[in-house]
Amino acid sequence: MGFTMGLNFVLLLVMVATNILSLYHLSSTVQSPNPPPPVPVPDHLLRQLNTIRATINHLTRHNPSSSSTTAEPSSAVPRDLILHSQIGPIASSCHNHPDLLHRYMNYTPFSTCPYDPDLQETLILNGCHPLPRRRCFSRTPSKPPSSLPLTHFPTSLPDSGVMWNKYSCKSFACLSQNNPTGFDLNAQRSSLQKYTSELDLPLTQFMQLAKSANSPIRLGIDIGGGTGTFAALMKKSYNVTMLTTTMNVNAPYNEAVALRGLVPLHVPLQQRFPVFDGTMDLVRCGRAVNRWIPLSVMEFMFYDVDRVLRGGGYLWVDRFFSKAVDLEKIYGPLIGKLGYKKVKWAVANKTDPSGLKHGEVYLSALLQKPVSKS
């Protein structure tokens, strides 16, 4: 009722403004038998009309009429989504998935939040990030662990620290058995601590390089860091604090990182890193960064890496894979645009079945940002 009256009032304003505009044109033409060239419409009248049109569009968009709401109840915008849009920004990509966004924001305020991790993951992976805040209480495991690991490499992680409803595996032991590369907490240690091929860069060697360049390593980001093994090693061996970006794609990666006493960042690759400019000593790109990422997303990501790295900081590209020809013609020049010093640049064939079939190679590189840019 209130919306209808408001819209009618605005329509009345349109009629009045239109009549004023018509009278203005009429008065400018009847004064002379030989009409002069058309007189430009004053800016203030155009601004008034544009304001009225914008008001109508806003009211129509945010307050659908009662008839349309009755005909299509699923299209009604959730009340808390409208409220949130008035106090905080909503990512533009969210508007590309209105049905998913409406489902996410369709909840009962001040009660328990819906259990919708798959919906959240889908929205985030489609660029709807950060998700709008909700006024509800998050769900927690029914029987949380009585104690938490005090080491970054525990013999096992407590299963009771995860809500397993959405996963086919219901324990970390199952995940370790079916996905040993991701959930064997010691799986990556050898490649990070020993030199077995030209693609390896042992942590001892990296830290020595940084020390000799008078570039201390204290803070960093591990992009696509899985369960956080790189961050765990850096913290345990060198007291370096690493933030680990990871997604819960088919497994509770974020929970695993947190249970190890590390900091997970639940952000997709296309998201701006939530840290300030020039504050990181190191950014490492793990195997999640590869040729399957759209080129434009990768380009923006590398320039965001440059944004967060301090002068003299390091970009570590660890086993990036692509077709050999693409590395030469696309990805190599893309990384080269940064203008970083090549401390290490090693390329080797990817010898698994997929690599052999597609002519793929690995790139491991350590690049140092110039100390100053002007």
Side-chain angles (χ1 to χ4, degrees), residues 18-41:
T18 304
N19 289 337
I20 292 174
L21 191 60
S22 300
L23 287 172
Y24 176 83
H25 276 291
L26 183 62
S27 65
S28 65
T29 57
V30 299
Q31 294 175 356
S32 171
N34 298 317
V39 179
V41 179

Side-chain angles (χ1 to χ4, degrees), residues 19 23 34 39 47 70 112 134 139 185 196 214 232 246 250 314 335 341 343 366 372-373:
N19 289 337
L23 287 172
N34 298 317
V39 179
R47 284 196 297 270
T70 304
T112 303
R134 298 195 288 195
R139 294 174 181 263
L185 302 187
T196 57
N214 195 26
T246 190
N250 301 321
Y314 289 94
I335 296 172
K341 176 184 176 182
V343 180
L366 183 65
S372 63
K373 278 190 175 184

Side-chain angles (χ1 to χ4, degrees), residues 12 29-30 45 114 121 130 144 146 150 183-184 221 225 229 245-246 273 298 313 321 328:
L12 177 62
T29 57
V30 299
L45 284 180
E121 208 78 5
S146 57
L150 298 179
F183 281 87
D184 181 345
I221 300 175
T229 296
T245 77
T246 190
F273 300 123
M298 188 178 299
F321 72 84
E328 179 183 354

Side-chain angles (χ1 to χ4, degrees), residues 141-213:
S142 57
K143 295 180 180 180
S146 57
S147 62
L148 295 171
L150 298 179
T151 172
H152 302 308
F153 288 95
T155 54
S156 63
L157 295 174
D159 295 330
S160 57
V162 176
M163 297 177 63
W164 296 96
N165 308 49
K166 62 170 278 192
Y167 304 114
S168 55
C169 273
K170 305 301 179 184
S171 68
F172 282 112
C174 172
L175 287 172
S176 181
Q177 188 174 25
N178 290 277
N179 184 10
T181 303
F183 281 87
D184 181 345
L185 302 187
N186 295 299
Q188 292 181 334
R189 295 183 77 167
S190 60
S191 64
L192 291 170
Q193 293 181 310
K194 298 179 181 179
Y195 186 92
T196 57
S197 77
E198 65 267 40
L199 295 173
D200 293 327
L201 178 59
L203 289 181
T204 52
Q205 182 182 357
F206 165 67
M207 295 300 288
Q208 184 59 44
L209 286 169
K211 182 179 179 180
S212 62

Side-chain angles (χ1 to χ4, degrees), residues 95-141:
H95 300 294
N96 297 330
H97 307 278
D99 293 340
L100 296 178
L101 184 62
H102 289 189
R103 279 174 53 198
Y104 173 72
M105 293 300 290
N106 190 14
Y107 65 94
T108 303
F110 316 118
S111 63
T112 303
C113 296
Y115 182 72
D116 51 9
D118 286 334
L119 176 60
Q120 295 179 40
E121 208 78 5
T122 300
L123 280 167
I124 292 173
L125 288 173
N126 280 285
C128 182
H129 189 273
L131 291 172
R133 286 175 169 171
R134 298 195 288 195
R135 298 182 298 168
C136 55
F137 299 100
S138 63
R139 294 174 181 263
T140 56

